[in-house]
Amino acid sequence: MELDAPAPPAVITTVADSGENQSLVAHEPPATFTSMKFDTSRLVLEMPEQVNASIPFEDRHQTIFGYNATMAYLQLYTKSPDSKEQLFLFFTCSDDKGNRDDWTPNCATAREKVYATFAKSPSTNRLVTIHTGSREEWTKLGGNAFTDDDDLRLKAIPTVMRWDGGVPGSLRSTWGVLVDHSIMYEPLLRYLFRNADEQDKLLAIPEVETKEIVTLRGYAQYRAYMEEYARSGSRYPMFMMMVSGRFRRNNRLWCPWCRQSEMPLEYAFYAYAPANAKLVLVETYDKYIVWRNPDNEFKQDPQLAVKGVPWFYRVFPGPPGQPLTYQRVKKKFYLLEQLQQAFQGSE
């Protein structure tokens, strides 16, 4: 939903690595931001008759080989706007003829976990396993068709993601990208596939509904929102991550590490952050060339001291109207145990 961002300017202070306090006053006009609460429909279990009537895995799964076959499949894939069907793509190893060849052990482990979890997911789900080629195809200089594709933009295999195209007029967008080691976490796969055979105990508690994810776009929204937080003296726990902007043509985050962290971060926040917490996602610039400019507003802000994306902070409020304190947290935000540490305050 869209909410009005607060207007009053205030001073925000960050503790830099050196421990020195720095302050900055901004006067950008307010804008709108996006707020998201936990989707409680994820906790609704399938009834026994739904489970018994579910479509077998074999009838919801197919295997194809190569980039051209993948493009042909996605080009022909369509569904109605009111369809509940969800399509998932699982990219994995093969030989140069499309036969199964687990030339990296993680392909075999990921296949086992993806198939086992998907088999228990809602019958409206569809899965396509895509054999992507040999080790030589993936180790040659210059990448390959899968890594160069503007919509898929694979960084490694195995990879699994949801494909959000198919409805007439929709973007060729993706969501929930899990790469290599991230696939090994069953809770992340269950969250991606929206499994309803049993509840996730970490999500099935009342405190989860008190948490909120706020997405800000651009420097002006960031300043307005954080200034109001400092002015109000609110005491709820706050976490903040700077991420890249998105390509409008497919809604893809241009930063691969941001994209790979997007869904694990969402799950871990709901699962591990304290009650009443807010996670603020700041989408910086939609164009990489603007982000690269050392004179852009984010890089020039001495409080942020941001050098790249993703960039994560714990934010601590002072008394009303007094400076905030930012504590940078360095983690691999696609690994579940490190995300747990980030949200629970352990190192």
Side-chain angles (χ1 to χ4, degrees), residues 37-342:
K37 292 291 191 73
F38 176 69
D39 180 3
T40 55
S41 69
R42 287 180 170 274
L43 301 177
V44 178
L45 297 178
E46 289 184 320
M47 301 299 292
E49 57 270 21
Q50 292 175 297
V51 175
N52 294 335
S54 63
I55 303 173
F57 173 84
E58 295 76 14
D59 295 338
R60 299 189 288 136
H61 170 251
Q62 66 184 98
T63 301
I64 59 179
F65 167 57
Y67 178 77
N68 291 338
T70 303
M71 291 299 101
Y73 182 93
L74 296 178
Q75 184 69 30
L76 294 174
Y77 176 74
T78 59
K79 62 180 182 179
S80 63
D82 59 350
S83 173
K84 295 182 179 180
E85 182 174 294
Q86 298 285 353
L87 177 64
F88 299 90
L89 308 177
F90 174 47
F91 301 87
T92 189
C93 313
S94 72
D95 63 17
D96 57 6
K97 299 184 184 302
N99 301 308
R100 180 184 294 181
D101 180 9
D102 296 325
W103 44 262
T104 173
N106 281 358
C107 281
T109 306
R111 181 175 59 250
E112 178 181 344
K113 291 184 176 293
V114 167
Y115 287 3
T117 307
F118 184 85
K120 296 180 287 187
S121 74
S123 60
T124 50
N125 286 348
R126 299 291 181 269
L127 177 67
V128 177
T129 294
I130 301 167
H131 288 173
T132 62
S134 64
R135 181 191 298 272
E136 290 72 24
E137 181 70 14
W138 279 89
T139 55
K140 68 181 182 182
L141 295 177
N144 57 51
F146 287 105
T147 62
D148 293 343
D149 184 84
D150 188 56
D151 301 315
L152 301 177
R153 192 66 74 174
L154 299 191
K155 301 303 293 183
I157 50 173
T159 291
V160 63
M161 65 181 70
R162 190 181 74 196
W163 176 259
D164 288 342
V167 175
S170 64
L171 299 177
R172 292 169 60 87
S173 60
T174 57
W175 182 81
V177 177
L178 298 176
V179 181
D180 202 10
H181 295 289
S182 299
I183 302 176
M184 308 307 165
Y185 300 100
E186 184 179 352
L188 295 182
L189 285 173
R190 291 180 60 85
Y191 196 79
L192 174 64
F193 296 147
R194 295 185 67 99
N195 282 42
D197 55 312
E198 61 182 45
Q199 289 184 338
D200 186 321
K201 294 181 180 179
L202 294 176
L203 302 180
I205 56 176
E207 289 81 358
V208 173
E209 297 181 42
T210 69
K211 306 175 190 181
E212 180 183 15
I213 298 177
V214 173
T215 301
L216 311 176
R217 294 177 177 85
Y219 189 77
Q221 286 191 15
Y222 154 71
R223 291 300 304 181
Y225 189 89
M226 299 306 289
E227 286 168 358
E228 172 61 14
Y229 182 54
R231 183 198 64 78
S232 67
S234 299
R235 307 300 301 180
Y236 53 80
M238 178 179 283
F239 306 89
M240 183 173 71
M241 179 179 274
M242 299 285 174
V243 297
S244 73
R246 298 176 183 272
F247 294 116
R248 294 186 180 183
R249 58 185 177 269
N250 57 15
N251 203 41
R252 174 171 62 82
L253 293 163
W254 53 255
C255 159
W257 297 113
C258 302
R259 186 187 185 206
Q260 185 175 340
S261 303
E262 184 178 20
M263 192 272 278
L265 184 76
E266 178 181 317
Y267 171 83
F269 171 70
Y270 289 133
Y272 301 122
N276 301 305
K278 291 187 188 296
L279 170 61
V280 178
L281 302 176
V282 183
E283 296 184 359
T284 52
Y285 299 107
D286 288 342
K287 294 184 178 180
Y288 177 59
I289 191 172
V290 181
W291 171 253
R292 286 187 60 188
N293 183 353
D295 295 326
N296 74 55
E297 293 170 299
F298 286 101
K299 291 182 178 179
Q300 285 294 303
D301 189 329
Q303 301 173 304
L304 293 174
V306 60
K307 304 298 183 184
V309 286
W311 203 269
F312 189 94
Y313 305 89
R314 300 187 188 107
V315 183
F316 302 97
Q322 295 301 306
L324 303 175
T325 298
Y326 291 1
Q327 178 190 66
R328 188 193 169 194
V329 179
K330 299 180 182 180
K331 298 291 181 183
K332 294 180 179 179
F333 296 104
Y334 52 89
L335 299 180
L336 196 53
E337 65 272 8
Q338 295 201 26
L339 283 165
Q340 181 178 3
Q341 294 168 4

